[in-house]
């Protein structure tokens, strides 16, 4: 089975509280990089001021030129989406890389995406793996999921179902429904783990609670192959898993 990557590029705000617009503007004009970044967010989101992508780009760029990683990341997204700048994947890669080189996990993930998709850079699975791993090691759930997919499919790395299970589990533990579905599939087929219908049932049940249609269909196929006792045991474990927020699923 060929598994599919999660391909998501998100514009992010990292401010912890909504700053005052006038104070932020004053600090930004004084050259404070974080204020410039926050001002860009305010214009991008229409917080305290009418939404204005051109102003957002302007202030993100000022902060980014001073090395502000969050601004570099958001400027990359503005180019990736073409928000008041011509859509330009190469320029998006440039700014994602600057933020990624500073250890910013979201930028590392997006840079991995660009390499995986061949957007703004030549397609390079090995580079995608490199940047996904950096983000995954910091807990970025979609990077963890995508690493699982890469190891299942053997793209940029040798095919390794045990590694795929490892990364699917990390993402599943964070509540990623796609990872939960894929983890259930690994247990159902005995790929990277011993075949275990109860574990498959548990993880498909978790994904089903989030509306995953594939998991729901898989459960209907699996149930007739299980004994009543297995189903009872699986349902008991699924309840523990769900109520513990995926912390007690074994």
């Amino acid at each position: 089975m060929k598994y599919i990557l999660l391909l998501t590029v998100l514009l992010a705000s990292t401010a912890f509280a909504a700053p005052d617009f006038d104070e932020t503007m004053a600090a930004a004009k004084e050259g404070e990089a974080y204020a410039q970044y926050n001002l860009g967010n305010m214009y991008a989101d229409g917080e305290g001021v009418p939404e204005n992508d051109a102003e957002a780009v302007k202030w993100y760029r000022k902060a980014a030129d001073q090395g502000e990683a969050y601004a570099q990341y958001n400027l990359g997204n503005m180019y990736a989406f073409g928000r008041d700048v011509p859509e330009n994947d190469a320029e998006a890669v440039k700014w994602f890389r600057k933020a990624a080189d500073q250890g910013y996990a979201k930028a590392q993930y997006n840079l991995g995406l660009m390499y995986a998709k061949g957007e703004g850079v030549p397609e390079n699975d090995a580079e995608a793996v490199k940047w996904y791993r950096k983000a995954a090691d910091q807990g970025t759930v979609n990077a963890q999921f995508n690493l699982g997919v890469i190891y299942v499919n053997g793209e940029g790395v040798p095919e390794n179902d045990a590694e795929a299970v490892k990364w699917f589990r990390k993402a599943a533990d964070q509540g990623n429904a796609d990872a939960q579905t894929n983890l259930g599939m690994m247990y159902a087929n005995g790929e990277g783990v011993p075949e275990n219908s109860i574990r498959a049932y548990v993880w498909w049940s978790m994904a089903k609670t989030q509306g995953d249609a594939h998991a729901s269909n898989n459960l209907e196929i699996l149930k007739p192959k299980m004994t009543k006792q297995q189903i009872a045991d699986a349902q008991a474990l699924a309840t523990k898993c769900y109520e513990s927020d995926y912390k007690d699923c074994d």
Side-chain angles (χ1 to χ4, degrees):
M1 174 182 291
K2 193 80 166 176
Y3 285 48
I4 305 300
L5 295 173
L6 282 179
L7 301 176
T8 323
V9 182
L10 302 174
L11 189 66
S13 171
T14 58
F16 293 102
D20 177 81
F21 177 79
D22 291 336
E23 291 178 2
T24 304
M25 176 63 83
K29 286 182 175 179
E30 290 294 318
E32 293 185 15
Y34 196 71
Q36 293 169 341
Y37 157 71
N38 271 342
L39 190 59
N41 281 341
M42 296 174 83
Y43 276 114
D45 298 334
E47 293 180 357
V49 66
E51 187 174 321
N52 187 323
D53 285 344
E55 283 293 306
V57 169
K58 167 186 166 182
W59 290 105
Y60 284 149
R61 191 181 305 280
K62 287 179 181 291
D65 284 340
Q66 294 195 67
E68 172 54 59
Y70 299 150
Q72 291 168 343
Y73 167 76
N74 279 4
L75 186 57
N77 276 321
M78 301 301 272
Y79 278 106
F81 289 120
R83 287 184 59 174
D84 212 79
V85 289
E87 188 172 324
N88 187 326
D89 290 334
E91 194 70 10
V93 166
K94 166 188 166 181
W95 291 107
F96 289 151
R97 190 184 305 280
K98 287 178 181 291
D101 283 341
Q102 296 193 64
Y104 188 40
K106 290 181 179 179
Q108 293 169 341
Y109 170 67
N110 281 7
L111 187 55
L113 279 179
M114 303 303 272
Y115 275 111
K117 297 161 69 179
E119 295 183 351
V121 286
E123 186 174 331
N124 188 319
D125 291 335
E127 280 293 305
V129 169
K130 167 187 166 182
W131 290 106
Y132 283 150
R133 190 181 303 280
K134 289 177 182 289
D137 284 341
Q138 296 192 63
T140 301
V141 66
N142 283 358
Q144 293 170 342
F145 173 82
N146 281 4
L147 272 180
V149 171
I150 282 170
Y151 276 108
V152 166
N153 294 338
E155 296 170 345
V157 292
E159 187 174 321
N160 187 325
D161 289 339
E163 272 296 297
V165 168
K166 166 187 165 182
W167 290 108
F168 285 148
R169 179 61 188 262
K170 287 180 181 292
D173 284 346
Q174 292 198 65
N176 183 281
D178 293 306
Q180 291 168 346
T181 297
N182 284 4
L183 186 57
M185 187 67 70
M186 303 300 276
Y187 276 113
N189 294 334
E191 296 172 342
V193 287
E195 186 176 332
N196 190 316
S197 59
I198 290 176
R199 297 288 175 82
Y201 188 107
V202 168
W203 287 110
W204 284 338
S205 293
M206 296 307 97
K208 181 181 177 180
T209 67
Q210 300 190 67
D212 190 289
H214 295 296
S216 181
N217 291 337
N218 288 346
L219 278 171
E220 295 308 308
I221 295 170
L222 179 63
K223 285 178 184 178
K225 301 177 182 178
M226 299 174 69
T227 67
K228 289 183 179 180
Q229 186 59 54
Q230 285 177 320
I231 291 173
D233 291 345
Q235 290 177 344
L237 183 55
T239 298
K240 284 173 56 180
C241 184
Y242 183 76
E243 291 180 350
S244 67
D245 197 23
Y246 316 120
K247 293 179 176 63
D248 190 5
C249 303
D250 295 313

